[in-house]
Amino acid sequence: MVHVSYLPLYLYMWRVSSLLFLAWIITYIAYIVKPSIVLDSSGIVYGGFPT
């Protein structure tokens, strides 16, 4: 086992992708609960095209 004094890049990418996925899920649930123009536009920004 080798000790390094920094975090590997993939851990930062994993955290960012996890936060974006959670934001997408929250936006999708919010759109299902109460659809509106604001939530629809934020859903498009996060990559969720509501059907």
Side-chain angles (χ1 to χ4, degrees):
M1 181 187 277
V2 178
H3 182 274
V4 293
S5 61
Y6 62 92
L7 281 176
L9 182 62
Y10 72 90
L11 286 178
Y12 290 111
M13 297 300 175
W14 174 258
R15 291 174 183 172
V16 169
S17 62
S18 299
L19 290 174
L20 287 175
F21 180 71
L22 287 175
W24 181 78
I25 293 293
I26 290 169
T27 302
Y28 194 72
I29 291 173
Y31 182 78
I32 291 173
V33 170
K34 183 179 179 184
S36 69
I37 295 173
V38 173
L39 292 177
D40 189 31
S41 63
S42 63
I44 291 172
V45 168
Y46 288 123
F49 291 96
T51 57

